[in-house]
Amino acid sequence: MKNGVYSLLKARFLIDDDAVKNWRFIVFVILLAIVMIANTQRFEQKVFRIAELTHQVKELRSEFVDRRSELMKLKMESTVASKMEEKQIFPSTVPPIKIKVKKEEEKNFFKKIWQ
């Protein structure tokens, strides 16, 4: 037991006659560790990118809601009327009248045009 611990601490397994097997395994483990670290780094970058994009989406959504409410206020009749009063344009006091055209009159009208 004592010799096993000393040989491990002195790294005799790296300089013995069959050390080539050990070196191959050590290089393999090191390569696996490098690949694992690289994958973890890429994963973390993607997580940060997702968090950043989520934050941007929330900001854009709130800006959209603000703009939409602003537009609703601008489309109101009272707002439009007040803007037009500055240009000396006033709302009509006479309500609009709906004009109805009968189909027979339309046909006669078009016949007259083509003749």
Side-chain angles (χ1 to χ4, degrees), residues 14-92:
L14 296 176
I15 55 175
D16 285 341
D17 294 333
D18 60 344
V20 175
K21 290 190 306 186
N22 296 336
W23 278 107
R24 285 183 192 161
F25 183 72
I26 290 171
V27 169
F28 177 71
V29 169
I30 289 172
L31 288 175
L32 281 179
I34 290 172
V35 168
M36 200 166 114
I37 291 169
N39 281 339
T40 305
Q41 178 69 19
R42 287 181 61 213
F43 175 75
E44 287 179 357
Q45 286 176 348
K46 288 180 182 180
V47 167
F48 287 133
R49 180 76 175 141
I50 288 170
E52 178 184 329
L53 290 175
T54 305
H55 181 68
Q56 285 180 356
V57 165
K58 286 180 181 177
E59 284 182 7
L60 290 173
R61 200 171 277 151
S62 66
E63 184 179 343
F64 167 73
V65 170
D66 288 343
R67 300 286 183 203
R68 185 173 55 184
S69 64
E70 198 174 302
L71 177 66
M72 293 297 284
K73 288 178 185 175
L74 289 174
K75 285 177 22 179
M76 291 175 65
E77 186 179 351
S78 59
T79 308
V80 173
S82 66
K83 296 269 185 192
M84 287 296 154
E85 284 178 4
E86 295 172 3
K87 297 179 181 181
Q88 302 293 325
I89 300 173
F90 300 101
S92 175

